[in-house]
């Protein structure tokens, strides 16, 4: 049996979706184990181009079972819209190839409201939320104030439980934010519109995964965002509200006995970042806009321009260590082809001293990038499919990054298409 996690090493948006789509040919089950609809995985294959937010990226592979685990923030509304969109493009989604954990908690309508209201209250101190309700959802989950997806199967229990939560939640909406309260009629309408549609997919996915494990099935665990957005190990408080690291995969998937044999850490050939918080290697102005346009760096969920800069070795080395990566997938190498020199943030300067260590979050705003330059290749490499056919300068760049991170770069992506990959 072989279990693999595909995770982000940096701030998210590294290209995890294209790697899951690529590698699922070798796996039987794909499990999304944390996060919600607040980030997107862009997948390009022979069926088209897709921006997935909740659906596991293995949904395009026949005979692969896709699971939304108990660690996911299950947004019925967004999930159904996404499913409907994918189905209209010819992709089959049935209870046989998509299963939703009965232990996944539901992201309820007021979670989005609270997310937007709190960002508004924070004003210039906002965290950069996508306003998809993720932070309020996880807060409620840890306060035991959510309902599980499985409760949709038992309506009497569901309505009794929701009535108690509703009374508590309206206190916050009305008294803290002066917002409009919800009613049971609102919730009944929401469940009818969206909860009922996903009911056929809800089951005991823990039992399914245990059986798959006993049968020696190969399981791929798919993460959202990256190390630096992890609630415990990221640039707190500018993080997501769940654990994006590979170590959480067994817990959030519903298979706590799982052992990971391989962890593929996805790293972009340069840096990009959506949202607020310290971003040491950030570029601005024309320099940033050229890179942003070359890489089409706009959020898959929000459409907002991503902050960009050169690859950050300090942050990447730290992120890889947090993930316990065994292999690195370096994506979007082709985007750098327009540069005559390739910049690399090799170290940080912090309080007048050089450092190779990623600083404590409170110190990050004081860090400054120390940039080195490598020779560019200035030719189109998007059609290259073998290591030997890459220009020497491109190979040297990959080898430099590999040595600096301290982990083998096994995959080099030179385009978004499924076959635009170089295996080393």
């Amino acid at each position: 049996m072989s279990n693999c996690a595909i995770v982000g090493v940096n701030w998210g948006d590294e290209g995890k979706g294209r790697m899951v789509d690529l590698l699922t040919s070798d796996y039987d089950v794909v499990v999304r184990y944390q996060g919600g609809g607040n980030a997107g995985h862009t997948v390009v294959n022979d069926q088209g181009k897709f921006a997935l937010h909740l659906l596991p990226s293995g949904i395009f592979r026949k005979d692969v079972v896709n699971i939304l685990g108990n660690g996911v923030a299950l947004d019925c509304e967004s999930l159904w819209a996404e499913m409907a969109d994918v189905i209209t493009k010819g992709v089959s989604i049935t209870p046989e190839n998509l299963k939703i954990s009965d232990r996944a908690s539901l992201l309820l309508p007021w979670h989005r409201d609270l997310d937007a209201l709190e960002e508004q209250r924070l004003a210039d101190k906002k965290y950069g939320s996508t306003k998809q309700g993720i932070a309020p959802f996880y807060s409620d989950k840890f306060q035991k104030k959510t309902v599980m997806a499985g409760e949709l199967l038992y309506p009497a229990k569901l309505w009794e439980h929701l009535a108690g939560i509703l009374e508590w939640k309206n206190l916050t909406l009305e008294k803290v934010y002066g917002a409009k309260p919800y009613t049971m009629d609102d919730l009944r309408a929401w469940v009818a519109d969206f909860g009922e549609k996903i009911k056929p997919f809800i089951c005991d996915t823990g039992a399914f995964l245990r059986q798959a494990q006993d049968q020696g099935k190969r399981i791929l665990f798919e993460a959202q965002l990256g190390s630096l957005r992890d609630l415990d190990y990221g640039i707190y408080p500018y993080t997501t509200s769940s654990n994006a690291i590979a170590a959480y995969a067994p817990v959030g998937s519903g298979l706590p006995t799982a052992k990971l044999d391989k962890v593929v850490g996805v790293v972009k050939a340069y840096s990009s970042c959506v949202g607020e918080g310290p971003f040491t290697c950030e570029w601005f102005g024309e320099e940033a806009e050229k890179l942003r346009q070359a890489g089409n760096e706009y959020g898959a969920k929000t459409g907002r321009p991503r902050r960009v800069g050169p690859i950050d070795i300090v942050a990447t080395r730290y992120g890889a260590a947090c993930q316990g990566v065994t292999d690195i997938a370096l994506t979007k190498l082709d985007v750098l082809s327009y540069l005559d020199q390739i910049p690399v943030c090799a170290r940080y300067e912090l309080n007048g001293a050089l450092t190779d260590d990623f600083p404590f979050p409170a110190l990050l705003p004081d860090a400054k990038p120390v940039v080195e330059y490598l020779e560019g290749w200035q030719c189109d490499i998007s059609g290259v499919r073998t290591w030997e056919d890459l220009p020497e300068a491109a190979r040297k760049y990959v080898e430099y990054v590999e040595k600096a991170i301290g982990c083998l770069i096994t995959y080099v992506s030179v385009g978004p298409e499924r076959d635009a990959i170089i295996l080393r």
Side-chain angles (χ1 to χ4, degrees):
M1 183 180 69
S2 174
N3 292 334
C4 173
I6 296 183
V7 294
V9 168
N10 298 112
W11 298 266
D13 303 305
E14 297 96 345
K16 294 179 293 299
R18 70 100 62 237
M19 290 307 302
V20 176
D21 180 62
L22 175 72
L23 296 180
T24 43
S25 60
D26 299 326
Y27 291 86
D28 305 296
V29 182
V30 176
V31 190
R32 170 77 180 272
Y33 63 85
Q34 51 79 225
N38 56 321
H41 289 174
T42 300
V43 175
V44 180
N45 55 36
D46 54 4
Q47 294 166 286
K49 182 177 180 179
F50 303 87
L52 303 183
H53 308 293
L54 271 166
L55 283 173
S57 300
I59 200 67
F60 306 105
R61 295 281 189 178
K62 292 181 179 179
D63 303 321
V64 170
V65 177
N66 296 268
I67 292 177
L68 289 173
N70 53 274
V72 168
L74 186 61
D75 183 340
C76 301
E77 188 172 344
S78 291
L79 176 60
W80 180 251
E82 188 175 328
M83 290 169 64
D85 178 62
V86 170
I87 290 170
T88 61
K89 294 176 181 176
V91 179
S92 175
I93 301 180
T94 72
E96 298 304 311
N97 72 342
L98 176 65
K99 299 180 185 296
I100 298 172
S101 171
D102 55 4
R103 289 183 170 270
S105 286
L106 299 182
L107 188 146
L108 295 165
W110 52 64
H111 288 131
R112 278 197 190 85
D113 295 349
L114 289 166
D115 207 348
L117 288 165
E118 180 59 11
E119 284 285 280
Q120 183 179 344
R121 187 192 68 82
L122 287 168
D124 60 345
K125 296 181 180 179
K126 62 187 178 183
Y127 297 150
S129 170
T130 56
K131 301 181 180 65
Q132 297 300 305
I134 304 303
F137 163 85
Y138 278 110
S139 176
D140 282 2
K141 181 177 179 179
F142 277 91
Q143 292 187 79
K144 302 175 288 295
K145 300 291 188 181
T146 55
V147 296
M148 290 182 171
E151 293 181 63
L152 291 169
L153 307 178
Y154 308 99
K157 301 290 187 183
L158 171 68
W159 298 121
E160 180 184 0
H161 194 179
L162 272 175
I165 295 175
L166 175 66
E167 180 182 4
W168 169 79
K169 185 53 66 178
N170 277 341
L171 289 172
T172 303
L173 286 166
E174 292 183 279
K175 304 298 184 184
V176 176
Y177 294 106
K180 181 182 176 181
Y182 278 83
T183 67
M184 286 301 293
D185 286 342
D186 293 331
L187 294 181
R188 289 184 188 278
W190 182 82
V191 169
D193 284 344
F194 305 107
E196 290 295 322
K197 291 182 173 69
I198 70 160
K199 267 175 63 172
F201 301 89
I202 297 170
C203 63
D204 185 349
T205 56
F208 177 88
L209 285 167
R210 289 191 294 273
Q211 183 180 42
Q213 181 177 247
D214 291 342
Q215 294 173 346
K217 300 286 187 181
R218 297 160 297 179
I219 304 173
L220 188 67
F221 300 89
E222 179 180 13
Q224 175 213 51
L225 296 169
S227 305
L228 303 179
R229 297 297 189 189
D230 183 272
L231 180 61
D232 288 291
Y233 299 100
I235 54 173
Y236 189 88
Y238 303 99
T239 65
T240 193
S241 297
S242 62
N243 290 108
I245 60 170
Y248 188 71
V251 177
S253 67
L255 187 62
T257 55
K259 302 293 188 295
L260 297 179
D261 306 296
K262 183 176 182 179
V263 177
V264 177
V266 187
V267 177
K268 198 173 281 183
Y270 52 94
S271 296
S272 69
C273 172
V274 172
E276 306 294 329
F279 186 38
T280 304
C281 63
E282 185 169 11
W283 278 355
F284 300 93
E286 183 180 355
E287 188 176 41
E289 190 55 32
K290 284 183 179 179
L291 179 55
R292 189 177 294 116
Q293 290 183 5
N296 191 30
E297 292 299 337
Y298 301 90
K301 180 65 181 180
T302 63
R304 40 180 191 181
R306 294 180 183 133
R307 302 157 68 189
V308 295
I311 192 168
D312 186 327
I313 296 298
V314 180
T316 302
R317 188 188 301 117
Y318 170 78
C322 289
Q323 296 285 14
V325 298
T326 59
D327 301 79
I328 290 286
L330 189 71
T331 62
K332 288 198 165 184
L333 183 65
D334 55 304
V335 171
L336 299 179
S337 298
Y338 76 96
L339 292 164
D340 58 348
Q341 288 187 306
I342 312 297
V344 174
C345 176
R347 309 180 78 184
Y348 289 173
E349 180 186 332
L350 184 61
N351 297 327
L354 297 179
T355 181
D356 295 315
D357 298 325
F358 194 67
F360 182 72
L363 301 179
L364 268 173
D366 299 325
K368 298 177 183 178
V370 177
V371 179
E372 298 179 357
Y373 291 89
L374 280 73
E375 181 184 354
W377 46 93
Q378 292 190 294
C379 63
D380 182 11
I381 61 171
S382 61
V384 176
R385 296 294 181 266
T386 66
W387 176 249
E388 292 75 19
D389 287 341
L390 271 180
E392 182 181 5
R395 294 199 305 270
K396 285 185 175 180
Y397 179 75
V398 173
E399 289 166 349
Y400 174 97
V401 173
E402 180 177 73
K403 182 178 179 181
I405 297 173
C407 183
L408 179 67
I409 295 177
T410 309
Y411 310 92
V412 179
S413 168
V414 291
E417 299 80 13
R418 186 178 280 174
D419 69 338
I421 199 81
I422 296 168
L423 304 179
R424 293 180 70 213

